[in-house]
Amino acid sequence: MSIELLSPAGSPESLRAAVESGAGAVYLGYGSYNARRSAANFTEEEFKEALAFCHARGVRVFLTLNILLTDRELPEALETARQACREGADAVLVQDWGLLDLLRKALPDLPLHASTQMSIFTSGGAEEAASDGCERVVIARECTKEETAEICRNCPAEIEVFIHGALCMCYSGQCGMSALIGGRSGNRGRCAQPCRLPYGVNAPAKDRRPLSLKDSCLSDRLQEMEEIGVACGKIEGRMRRPGYVRTVTGIYAKLLNEGRKPSKKERQALEEAFSRSGFTEGYWLGRTGPEMFGFRPEGETSGRKEEAKTAVLTTTPAIQVKFVCRVIAGEPSTLTAEDEKGRRVTVTGPVPEAARTRELTPEELTARLKKTGGTGYECVEVKAETGTGLSLPASAINGLRRRALEALAEARRERREMEAPPMPEDLCARKGKPALTVSLTETGQLTERLLSERPARIYLPLEKLNELDTLPDGPEWCAILPRIWRDRDETELKSMLLRVKKQGVMSALAGNIGHLPLLRDSGLKVYGDYGLNLFNSRSLGFMRDKGLAGACVSYELRFAQIRDLRKPLPIEAIVYGRLPLMITENCIIKTGTGECRCEMRNELWDRTGASFPMLPAYGHRTEIENSRALWLADRTDWHRLGLSSGRLRFTTESGLECAEIFHKYKENVENGMHAEPPRDFTRGLYLRGVE
């Protein structure tokens, strides 16, 4: 199987550059709801023109609707998808679970692709997305060759891999840094790229950039990808200029067409188009570390050759079509066209006449029908049946072919459209005051005093619960599964789940779609965590239908938005604690200090002097926490949002602090008392919201 080359089209000019340089498909934004909302994107008329331009050349067009959406935005997003579907868009990329559910029900014939923003990096996650209707899954950039091969073997959907372009420091879909610091959400297509700024690791920020990764370049690895079954290689860059798209697409198209690695000249052209201190292939090779990091000095622009047409134009793959033609005496001539997906149309032409000089042969008819150049179609087979002694003008045969291909193009655009399904019922809005739950990072935070406050539920990381011999009676004990893990970890995780269940753990917290198949036969009650990015009522209904007993909503929602959510299952919101900014595959501490000291207290310092605690995460990963803790114990408005529970998220607090803070929240909920906030605190995004 050859790899489809997917190129970015942030503007009509970039789209033309991609197509002329050999892209097999392009991805673009149309409307307001895509992950590059600052790109030029496409107007409705430009989108129609783009589809016509691409389809005439056999290039597929994927629409990006890959951001989180509110209840109010979903109808407009659906209408955008409807228009794209009618015009013949080949697929839609989606992040939001509610939109995914809406599209598969309202537009059942529209192919859906799981965006990398869904944070999928295991076979189970990819298979779950496939079972939910995704024909293709874009897996995390952090996956190695071996991990990608495992997913390709196990997932029935196509697998897409980023092969060139910018790397985010955080796993896509899990970054709250831009939103919480500057109010511009990466999950809403507005990332301000705080990872490119200077920071210090356990020291004041100077000129080092420990969160800025080099661009990825996997031009040497294309043959490996073909061998393991990758369906599509994606070039990142909808924010970059047409010259960049032309150069990078042209080189990768030639490498794929010719089955080779880049020459020295081609490598230089890629680097001149754009790079950050060179390139990296660290994630593909499984080699993280300092050599993966790089940045571009402020004011530096791309190389002069960026706008030059350095790429040699390549032939884009056309849509394969088969013809069956009958030219029989006394009957109208007929031509049936069938595409690669089995769509079939038949058109009729004139009745053949008796041949006066030379009769029409099957060979001549076949040769004429195969002339599909310039149409975007490639005729791969003709079955021609002709009677003896008959004649049909060349113009009539050409007309048959033209009308058959036009009818096939129309058939390819015909897709069922259904009414939008009703919103989920509002069954579980809490009328009274919310219960209080607690999540802990370390077992040392679990004290008798905290237990005496009687939290309704206590969340502890699965690996920490596994270290305990017994669990006290009283609260519901819930295991927090690692937010990031791999297929190879699942045997260990299942073993730990079995052990802690015997100790009295009753439930598990799922922060990733890949957790659901892992937990399905565990016998544990499953709650959804913030990592699922549940942003609207439909996403909550979708997760209820997948068996969740409750869910934590996104901390990027405002109070009013949480209040107005339909609540088809009990919902929770984080009401205290340092909110997570990033979770990274690279160990920031080792990269920043030269040594691994993850079990000690570590902080990331920005240019303002703010310090962000860095905590070790499962699999020797790093989680960065906000510099200030969320505080709501001096307010009572959050009691009236319909929450079933409010979660206190303890990270760096001591056991004594955990108990004291919980007590203040308990007094706030039960008696309406207003506890003074700490000197340095935040309201998160609950009041100001995000772009």
Side-chain angles (χ1 to χ4, degrees):
M1 179 185 71
S2 60
I3 292 178
E4 179 178 60
L5 180 60
L6 177 59
S7 292
S11 66
E13 295 77 19
S14 291
L15 178 135
R16 183 175 290 274
V19 173
E20 290 175 348
S21 301
V26 295
Y27 61 104
L28 55 84
Y30 155 53
S32 304
Y33 305 123
N34 68 88
R36 290 293 182 268
R37 293 165 73 186
S38 299
N41 289 313
F42 288 70
T43 65
E44 183 175 349
E45 190 58 37
E46 288 171 341
F47 181 67
K48 292 178 181 179
E49 292 172 358
L51 283 167
F53 178 79
C54 290
H55 286 168
R57 292 156 179 80
V59 176
R60 300 204 291 167
V61 178
F62 303 152
L63 174 67
T64 56
L65 286 175
N66 54 341
I67 65 169
L68 300 183
L69 297 161
T70 65
D71 282 349
R72 291 185 178 183
E73 293 168 337
L74 280 171
E76 186 180 341
L78 173 59
E79 185 56 33
T80 299
R82 283 194 193 277
Q83 291 294 335
C85 186
R86 291 167 188 160
E87 296 297 331
D90 295 284
V92 172
L93 282 89
V94 180
Q95 173 189 12
D96 190 281
W97 301 111
L99 180 62
L100 172 69
D101 191 43
L102 185 58
L103 292 182
R104 68 177 184 170
K105 291 174 180 174
L107 300 169
D109 299 327
L110 178 63
L112 301 177
H113 293 180
S115 168
T116 190
Q117 291 288 114
M118 283 188 177
S119 308
I120 295 174
F121 40 75
T122 63
S123 296
E127 291 178 82
E128 193 76 11
S131 70
D132 290 330
C134 293
E135 294 188 2
R136 178 177 289 181
V137 177
V138 189
I139 61 174
R141 294 167 171 88
E142 289 84 354
C143 290
T144 66
K145 172 188 174 182
E146 292 73 23
E147 291 159 357
T148 303
E150 184 75 7
I151 296 171
C152 288
R153 281 193 295 270
N154 294 324
C155 182
E158 294 180 340
I159 299 301
E160 180 175 302
V161 171
F162 277 90
I163 57 175
H164 194 95
L167 292 174
C168 298
M169 184 62 180
C170 181
Y171 274 80
S172 292
Q174 300 301 306
C175 186
M177 194 170 202
S178 179
L180 286 164
I181 293 177
R184 294 175 55 184
S185 170
N187 282 315
R188 301 269 292 156
R190 296 290 194 191
C191 180
Q193 296 189 323
C195 54
R196 303 300 179 190
L197 298 174
Y199 296 93
V201 177
N202 296 326
K206 292 185 179 178
D207 294 329
R208 300 193 66 180
R209 287 172 169 80
L211 302 184
S212 181
L213 292 167
K214 296 176 181 176
D215 275 24
S216 175
C217 177
L218 300 182
S219 56
D220 278 348
R221 308 296 169 180
L222 300 177
Q223 287 72 49
E224 296 176 13
M225 292 182 189
E226 285 188 322
E227 291 169 3
I228 65 176
V230 171
C232 179
K234 185 174 193 171
I235 298 169
E236 184 277 337
R238 276 195 291 144
M239 296 294 292
R240 295 185 181 172
R241 298 163 67 185
Y244 169 88
V245 175
R246 185 180 299 279
T247 296
V248 177
T249 301
I251 291 173
Y252 274 87
K254 287 195 292 184
L255 300 182
L256 286 168
N257 290 340
E258 298 169 16
R260 62 175 176 83
K261 296 183 178 182
S263 65
K264 183 178 180 180
K265 184 177 180 180
E266 287 167 329
R267 292 178 197 273
Q268 182 179 356
L270 289 173
E271 191 162 339
E272 288 177 341
F274 192 96
S275 71
R276 289 182 171 92
S277 312
F279 291 121
T280 181
E281 51 182 9
Y283 284 144
W284 183 258
L285 299 176
R287 299 175 188 166
T288 58
E291 64 278 0
M292 286 191 67
F293 291 77
F295 68 97
R296 292 172 69 82
E298 292 183 14
E300 181 177 322
T301 59
S302 301
R304 293 180 180 179
K305 294 186 179 180
E306 183 193 0
E307 295 298 337
K309 293 188 177 183
T310 58
V312 177
L313 300 189
T314 57
T315 303
T316 55
I319 300 162
Q320 294 188 343
V321 64
K322 299 177 182 179
F323 288 134
V324 176
C325 190
R326 295 180 79 250
V327 180
I328 304 298
E331 299 179 9
S333 52
T334 64
L335 178 61
T336 298
E338 181 180 343
D339 70 6
E340 75 285 355
K341 290 196 174 181
R343 299 184 188 88
R344 188 179 300 166
V345 296
T346 300
V347 296
T348 59
V351 176
E353 300 176 353
R356 297 180 181 179
T357 55
R358 185 164 62 90
E359 70 176 13
L360 178 67
T361 65
E363 291 76 19
E364 181 184 354
L365 181 58
T366 296
R368 289 196 176 278
L369 290 174
K370 281 200 166 187
K371 294 180 179 180
T372 56
T375 66
Y377 292 90
E378 177 191 4
C379 179
V380 295
E381 181 182 309
V382 176
K383 293 181 180 178
E385 180 183 355
T386 61
T388 58
L390 299 177
S391 173
L392 194 65
S395 60
I397 298 171
N398 293 341
L400 274 171
R401 184 188 63 236
R402 183 186 68 254
R403 285 185 288 110
L405 293 179
E406 288 173 351
L408 185 59
E410 185 64 30
R412 288 170 65 87
R413 286 194 292 269
E414 288 180 1
R415 291 161 172 160
R416 291 173 293 165
E417 291 191 26
M418 310 296 187
E419 291 295 321
M423 292 283 279
E425 292 184 78
D426 197 358
L427 300 173
C428 300
R430 182 110 168 201
K431 304 302 181 184
K433 295 176 181 179
L436 291 177
T437 67
V438 168
S439 71
L440 305 176
T441 303
E442 299 290 342
T443 55
Q445 295 169 318
L446 181 62
T447 62
E448 289 292 337
R449 183 173 173 186
L450 178 62
L451 289 168
S452 71
E453 297 287 347
R454 304 182 66 82
R457 187 181 306 132
I458 296 180
Y459 303 100
L460 260 173
L462 174 60
E463 62 272 28
K464 301 296 182 180
L465 279 169
N466 192 64
E467 296 172 2
L468 299 176
D469 295 324
T470 59
L471 293 175
D473 294 331
E476 176 186 353
W477 293 93
C478 184
I480 307 173
L481 269 67
R483 191 147 53 119
I484 307 295
W485 79 104
R486 291 294 190 271
D487 282 10
R488 62 179 176 271
D489 301 315
E490 294 195 357
T491 298
E492 177 187 43
L493 294 177
K494 287 179 180 178
S495 176
M496 287 194 285
L497 282 168
L498 186 62
R499 183 178 185 276
V500 300
K501 184 182 176 185
K502 292 177 180 177
Q503 291 175 261
V505 168
M506 295 160 272
S507 54
L509 195 57
N512 184 276
I513 195 68
H515 284 148
L516 302 189
L518 188 61
L519 291 167
R520 197 155 279 142
D521 298 322
S522 67
L524 296 168
K525 187 186 297 184
V526 180
Y527 299 105
D529 204 2
Y530 59 83
L532 289 171
N533 291 321
L534 303 179
F535 212 74
N536 54 63
S537 302
R538 290 191 184 276
S539 65
L540 293 171
F542 178 75
M543 290 299 170
R544 175 204 58 195
D545 293 343
K546 294 181 78 67
L548 266 62
C552 182
V553 295
S554 168
Y555 52 77
E556 294 188 18
L557 289 168
R558 298 194 312 274
F559 276 166
Q561 292 169 325
I562 296 173
R563 180 198 63 213
D564 294 342
L565 286 172
R566 299 287 184 95
K567 300 175 176 69
L569 76 175
I571 69 167
E572 180 174 78
I574 298 173
V575 297
Y576 168 81
R578 296 180 186 271
L579 295 172
L581 301 184
M582 283 189 178
I583 185 162
T584 73
E585 186 68 18
N586 266 280
C587 175
I588 302 171
I589 299 144
K590 187 173 183 179
T591 299
T593 65
E595 59 179 336
C596 184
R597 38 173 290 172
C598 296
E599 298 305 320
M600 301 174 65
R601 184 178 179 89
N602 294 282
E603 294 178 334
L604 187 74
W605 292 37
D606 72 8
R607 293 177 297 177
T608 71
S611 61
F612 304 85
M614 294 188 291
L615 304 182
Y618 181 86
H620 197 192
R621 299 176 176 96
T622 303
E623 184 171 279
I624 306 174
E625 313 299 335
N626 200 4
S627 60
R628 295 176 291 165
L630 171 69
W631 185 269
L632 298 177
D634 59 336
R635 306 175 66 99
T636 57
D637 48 355
W638 63 274
H639 302 172
R640 299 183 292 276
L641 305 179
L643 296 172
S644 292
S645 56
R647 186 195 307 178
L648 282 69
R649 184 176 189 266
F650 294 119
T651 51
T652 59
E653 294 84 356
S654 67
L656 177 61
E657 289 171 326
C658 293
E660 289 179 343
I661 293 168
F662 186 89
H663 181 75
K664 291 178 181 179
Y665 269 80
K666 186 176 179 181
E667 288 287 295
N668 172 257
V669 171
E670 294 182 355
N671 303 316
M673 294 180 65
H674 289 240
E676 282 297 316
R679 184 177 61 181
D680 200 16
F681 71 99
T682 179
R683 303 295 189 191
L685 297 164
Y686 290 141
L687 303 182
R688 60 190 172 111
V690 293
E691 292 184 37

